[in-house]
Amino acid sequence: MASLLRLYNTLSRAKEPLRPIDSRRVRMYACGPTVYDAAHIGNARPLIVFDLLFRLLRHVYGAEAVTYARNVTDVDDKINARAAERGITIRELTDGTLAQFHDDIRRLGILMPEDVNGAGRPPAMIEPRATDHIVEMTALIDRLVAAGHAYVAEDHVLFDVPSMPDYGALSRRPLDEMEAGARVDVAPYKRSPLDFVLWKPSKPGEPSWASPGGIKIAGRPGWHIECSAMAWKHLGETFDIHAGGIDLVFPHHENEVAQSRCCFGTPVMANIWLHNGFLQVEGEKMSKSLGNFVTLRDVLADWPGEVVRLAMLRTHYRQPIDWTLRALEEASRTLDRWYDAAGDVAPGPAPDSVLEPLLDDLNTPAALGEVHRLDDPAALKAGAGLLGLLGQTRSERERAAVAASGVDAAAVERLIAERKEARTRKDWAESDRIRGALTALGVTVKDNKDGTTTWTVGS
């Protein structure tokens, strides 16, 4: 089954079977958040897609045979500017933003290190922070300088792009197009317009560390070097899958490839490069100026995380997605039907009918179609569970909704018991009065065919 997993490789522009470099361990890296502000709904898409891939890899290869690193960028120009704006330290900003990020993505059903890592075993998931890997970054930079792939100029270290003959193989951009973009702001100390910063001097008040390359003054890393360093530390010189948004192909991922390959003398950094498509809001690019910029926290204030997750997965990850209110409403209705059908049964084995489309480049629309066709509650629970959906039993979901609503669950149960007594004695007026009281509390009552009564908060 493992050999059947095929993924679209941006490097080759084709679907390829995943053939792990080490047959005992599949290694995956994904570019995570830059923690200077609240995550927006577009940030949620790669998190959900690559969480699904992580779950699928664990299902296919075994939970202890997969290592997933998802980094956190906590040193960056935007971080410096935002901390100065708020009058707080950079660490206060990044710690607070990261805590909010974690709270948000947990509600999306995203697996976290504490969910999968066991005591006494190698970690299955790592969330490395850039500032904890400065030693690795400076080591890489010194190696690149020694190998003639980087140079020191005016207290900066720059990567020498012309020293890598096949630079651009990932993004496949024409050289003149790349040079035209690079010439917008060319520093005089660059040998080539395409050369990019590996290290730069820190300004007063900015974080700083001892510089590589023999530079006397303290400085800080450029953006691209951090991912090469963290991937190297946790996954090795080469690994199986590197994932991220399509907007990162150039320059970020292209520059990662250049740094890592030239440092280690390897033909690839990662065998497969996986990229998710863009997200639009109601048919338009998300933009603060258009007034359609939506934070993940705002969405989660109105919709359960599993609804957001399902709405995302209805579109294939490589296709653009149009984020609409209608998609959320349809996802919510679908989940309600599934919870009703699955009840509180334990999940069975994941059905092959759901697994097979996921093995074909994470074809979630087809997999969801197969989940819709399942009529066995245990299979339905397992099929949806493979996608990270129906993580709770119906009763757990209802209790969570009640807790979030502030409704007094004990009072509701008393009213339902009183209504049941009224119906037993055929006092329909009293039964209707109690239903009206429950409706006023925001509670919807459902009388089931088996004689039980269930209730939910909201319609």
Side-chain angles (χ1 to χ4, degrees):
M1 182 67 77
S3 63
L4 299 179
L5 175 56
R6 294 169 61 83
L7 298 168
Y8 183 85
N9 189 353
T10 304
L11 185 61
S12 66
R13 304 298 196 268
K15 285 185 191 179
E16 297 180 7
L18 175 64
R19 296 188 176 93
I21 297 168
D22 181 345
S23 61
R24 298 163 301 176
R25 187 168 67 123
V26 182
R27 292 167 290 167
M28 178 172 78
Y29 184 93
C31 289
T34 300
V35 286
Y36 75 98
D37 203 352
H40 58 70
I41 191 63
N43 299 138
R45 191 178 195 193
L47 292 164
I48 291 169
V49 168
F50 305 138
D51 176 77
L52 170 59
L53 177 57
F54 181 42
R55 290 170 180 268
L56 180 63
L57 291 170
R58 286 165 61 84
H59 180 84
V60 170
Y61 289 93
E64 295 186 17
V66 183
T67 305
Y68 177 26
R70 182 187 64 219
N71 84 292
V72 174
T73 296
D74 60 350
V75 54
D76 174 84
D77 290 339
K78 292 177 181 177
I79 291 171
N80 297 339
R82 186 59 53 87
E85 252 176 47
R86 296 185 182 176
I88 58 176
T89 67
I90 287 162
R91 190 71 185 196
E92 286 173 326
L93 173 69
T94 56
D95 283 353
T97 306
L98 184 58
Q100 177 177 328
F101 171 78
H102 283 160
D103 181 57
D104 289 345
I105 68 171
R106 281 191 184 97
R107 294 166 66 187
L108 295 173
I110 305 295
L111 292 174
M112 303 291 286
E114 58 267 28
D115 299 324
V116 296
N117 293 341
R121 298 201 304 267
M125 184 178 182
I126 312 110
E127 192 179 53
R129 291 179 68 147
T131 52
D132 293 332
H133 295 76
I134 302 296
V135 169
E136 288 79 13
M137 294 184 212
T138 55
L140 288 183
I141 292 169
D142 279 334
R143 288 178 67 161
L144 288 168
V145 172
H149 289 293
Y151 59 94
V152 177
E154 296 187 21
D155 297 322
H156 291 71
V157 185
L158 295 108
F159 185 86
D160 185 1
V161 169
S163 73
M164 183 182 185
D166 57 347
Y167 179 84
L170 180 65
S171 60
R172 300 192 184 182
R173 290 192 172 199
L175 183 60
D176 56 352
E177 180 184 311
M178 291 190 288
E179 287 183 338
R183 288 185 187 279
V184 172
D185 183 23
V186 179
Y189 47 77
K190 282 189 177 184
R191 295 177 183 172
S192 162
L194 287 175
D195 293 351
F196 57 89
V197 172
L198 301 174
W199 191 268
K200 55 189 169 184
S202 294
K203 298 173 184 174
E206 292 182 343
S208 61
W209 294 267
S211 296
I215 298 170
K216 303 300 182 187
I217 65 172
R220 58 191 180 94
W223 174 30
H224 313 300
I225 192 66
E226 66 177 55
C227 286
S228 286
M230 287 183 275
W232 171 45
K233 170 71 177 291
H234 298 287
L235 302 179
E237 295 179 4
T238 59
F239 49 96
D240 300 300
I241 302 168
H242 194 311
I246 193 70
D247 56 313
L248 297 179
V249 175
F250 185 86
H252 185 50
H253 288 169
E254 194 73 78
N255 290 348
E256 279 187 56
V257 170
Q259 295 161 166
S260 295
R261 285 186 52 202
C262 290
C263 185
F264 303 118
T266 53
V268 296
M269 177 187 184
N271 278 344
I272 291 180
W273 288 81
L274 208 69
H275 292 98
N276 65 273
F278 288 115
L279 178 141
Q280 293 183 316
V281 176
E282 299 288 351
E284 293 184 301
K285 180 181 178 181
M286 187 165 58
S287 165
K288 290 183 179 179
S289 63
L290 293 174
N292 66 351
F293 187 88
V294 186
T295 68
L296 183 52
R297 177 144 296 192
D298 286 342
V299 173
L300 291 170
D302 297 326
W303 298 93
E306 59 195 343
V307 170
V308 177
R309 186 181 182 104
L310 176 55
M312 287 280 186
L313 294 177
R314 284 155 48 102
T315 301
H316 190 275
Y317 79 91
R318 286 195 285 117
Q319 300 302 315
I321 188 171
D322 191 14
W323 191 250
T324 65
L325 177 61
R326 180 179 177 183
L328 288 163
E329 292 170 342
E330 290 177 351
S332 182
R333 288 192 292 269
T334 296
L335 282 167
D336 284 340
R337 289 196 299 272
W338 288 354
Y339 272 110
D340 285 343
D344 286 339
V345 301
D352 286 345
S353 62
V354 178
L355 184 59
E356 286 171 5
L358 294 179
L359 292 171
D360 182 17
D361 194 33
L362 303 182
N363 189 341
T364 53
L368 290 168
E370 292 300 328
V371 173
H372 278 291
R373 282 186 271 276
L374 295 172
D375 54 13
D376 175 67
L380 172 59
K381 183 69 72 68
L386 190 59
L387 290 142
L389 301 164
L390 300 193
Q392 302 167 307
T393 65
R394 178 172 56 191
S395 56
E396 287 170 337
R397 182 176 184 244
E398 289 167 353
R399 285 196 295 272
V402 171
S405 71
V407 169
D408 184 339
V412 170
E413 293 290 354
R414 283 196 298 272
L415 286 170
I416 286 176
E418 290 171 10
R419 177 174 174 269
K420 186 173 183 179
E421 289 177 7
R423 288 168 63 84
T424 300
R425 61 177 187 268
K426 298 185 179 181
D427 188 345
W428 307 120
E430 177 65 4
S431 173
D432 289 345
R433 185 195 68 78
I434 295 172
R435 180 185 279 274
L438 290 164
T439 300
L441 291 173
V443 173
T444 300
V445 175
K446 181 181 179 183
D447 296 313
N448 302 308
K449 292 179 180 178
D450 61 1
T452 62
T453 299
T454 53
W455 58 278
T456 57
V457 178
S459 56

